[in-house]
Amino acid sequence: MSDNELGLFLRVHREAVTPAAAGLPTGPRRRAAGLRRSEVAALAGVSVEYVTRLEQGRDRRPSPQVLSALADALRLTAGERVHLHRLTKAADPGYNCRGETTPARTVRPTVQALLDRLGPTPAVLLNRLSDVLAHTDGYERLAGPIGLLDAAVPNLARFVFTDSRARDAYPDWEHIADERVAALKQGPFRADPHLAALADELTIAAGDAFARRVDRVPALASSSGIVRLAHPEVGTLRLAYETLDLSADDDQRLIVHLPADAATSAALDRLNSHRAQPLRLVVG
C-alpha cells in the first residue's frame, strides 16, 4: 500500500480540475478531463520534472512558495490547502503525531450532555477508528434497523466493508466506502498501530474493495454532504450531514444528520412517532 499521500493528493486534484476551470483552452485531442502535468507546471511556475517527482514521491518536501503556487494551480479550497500543508509536515511515513495514545473510547460528560440535548436528531460520536462511542436515540432509529449497531463495539468502517447489509443500506455504497477510507487516512494511518491493525483486518476481510481505495483515495474526507440511506421502515432517506471535530485531546468527531428534503423530514417524523414510547398513566 502506498505511503505517498502527498503525491496521491496532488495527482487526484490535478485530474479533477478541468482546463476550463483553470482558464486553459480545451482542445479536441484531450484523452482525460483533468489537467496535464505540463499544465500544472506552467500554472505553478515550476518544471514538469518537479511536478512528476512530487507525484511519484521522489520529493516530499516542497517549499512553502511551491506549495502555495500548486494550491493556486489546482484551485484548492481553504481546507484542502491546510491539508496539503499537513501532508508535507508529515512526509515521513513513520511519523505519528499521536504518539502511542490509544483511541479514545471515553465520552466526556459535556459531550454526552450535548448529544442528550440533540434529542431526536440523528447524531453519532466516533473516534479515529470510526468506533461508535455514543449516539442519540434518533441515530439509533436510523442505524439500528440496518444492522450497524448490532456489534458489541459498533464500527462504521467495519460495517461498511464487512457487512453485506451495508450495500443494501447505502444506495451510493461506492462513495460511502471512499469516504470511510478517507476518514481513516486523515491521521498518521499505518504509522498508528491501532489504525494499522484495523487496516490489516479490513484488507483481509474486504480484499480489493478496501485495499485499492487506500492506494487511490486521498486522506481528506468530506466534512459535509448528503448521504442516501435505504431504511427498511420508511424507505430511502436523503440526509445532510455535518462533521464537527472535537479537540485533539478528545480525538473524536460528532456527525449530525438533518433531513435534506421535505420527504425525508416527513419520513423521520413518522419514524420518531412510531418509536415513541406511549405515556403510561398510573391511576391511584
Side-chain angles (χ1 to χ4, degrees):
M1 294 183 181
S2 173
D3 61 6
N4 179 24
E5 287 298 321
L6 174 62
L8 174 62
F9 184 85
L10 292 173
R11 178 178 58 78
V12 167
H13 282 274
R14 172 173 62 80
E15 294 173 349
V17 178
T18 64
L24 299 173
T26 56
R29 292 190 172 183
R30 300 191 72 93
R31 289 183 293 179
L35 297 180
R36 301 185 179 102
R37 285 174 177 168
S38 59
E39 291 169 331
V40 171
L43 289 169
V46 297
S47 69
V48 180
E49 291 75 15
Y50 189 60
V51 173
T52 302
R53 289 206 309 273
L54 288 173
E55 289 193 4
Q56 293 178 348
R58 292 185 286 121
D59 188 327
R60 305 191 184 196
R61 300 185 185 278
S63 69
Q65 293 81 6
V66 169
L67 273 186
S68 180
L70 288 171
D72 289 340
L74 297 174
R75 302 298 192 265
L76 298 186
T77 66
E80 290 165 347
R81 286 169 180 263
V82 170
H83 186 68
L84 178 62
H85 180 263
R86 288 173 178 165
L87 288 177
T88 63
K89 293 300 181 183
D92 183 348
Y95 174 72
N96 182 357
C97 59
R98 296 187 177 102
E100 298 300 321
T101 59
T102 300
R105 300 185 185 277
T106 301
V107 181
R108 285 192 291 113
T110 50
V111 176
Q112 183 61 60
L114 174 61
L115 282 167
D116 294 341
R117 293 269 183 167
L118 288 174
T121 299
V124 60
L125 185 70
L126 307 176
N127 64 10
R128 69 177 184 260
L129 299 181
S130 76
D131 291 331
V132 175
L133 305 179
H135 54 76
T136 62
D137 53 356
Y139 187 81
E140 184 168 2
R141 286 190 277 271
L142 285 183
I146 67 173
L148 172 55
L149 303 178
D150 286 355
V153 181
N155 180 285
L156 185 52
R158 190 177 286 118
F159 175 74
V160 167
F161 282 103
T162 67
D163 196 313
S164 60
R165 294 173 293 182
R167 292 180 181 262
D168 295 326
Y170 297 113
D172 306 309
W173 184 89
E174 294 287 341
H175 175 68
I176 296 296
D178 286 350
E179 289 294 298
R180 287 301 95 214
V181 168
L184 291 177
K185 291 174 65 179
Q186 277 186 284
F189 196 45
R190 286 194 172 277
D192 179 331
H194 306 282
L195 278 168
L198 177 60
D200 288 343
E201 174 194 335
L202 295 179
T203 299
I204 294 170
D208 190 56
F210 178 78
R212 64 183 168 83
R213 284 181 163 83
V214 172
D215 287 334
R216 69 170 179 80
V217 175
L220 187 61
S222 301
S223 61
S224 62
I226 294 178
V227 59
R228 290 196 300 157
L229 179 70
H231 195 280
E233 296 177 20
V234 292
T236 300
L237 306 172
R238 294 182 67 250
L239 299 160
Y241 65 89
E242 288 288 341
T243 305
L244 310 175
D245 288 322
L246 302 188
S247 73
D249 289 335
D250 290 306
D251 195 18
Q252 298 168 356
R253 57 179 58 98
L254 178 66
I255 305 176
V256 182
H257 297 82
L258 298 169
D261 53 36
T264 298
S265 181
L268 289 179
D269 287 343
R270 292 197 304 273
L271 191 61
N272 289 331
S273 64
H274 291 167
R275 296 298 184 90
Q277 294 294 323
L279 179 64
R280 296 184 178 180
L281 298 178
V282 178
V283 180

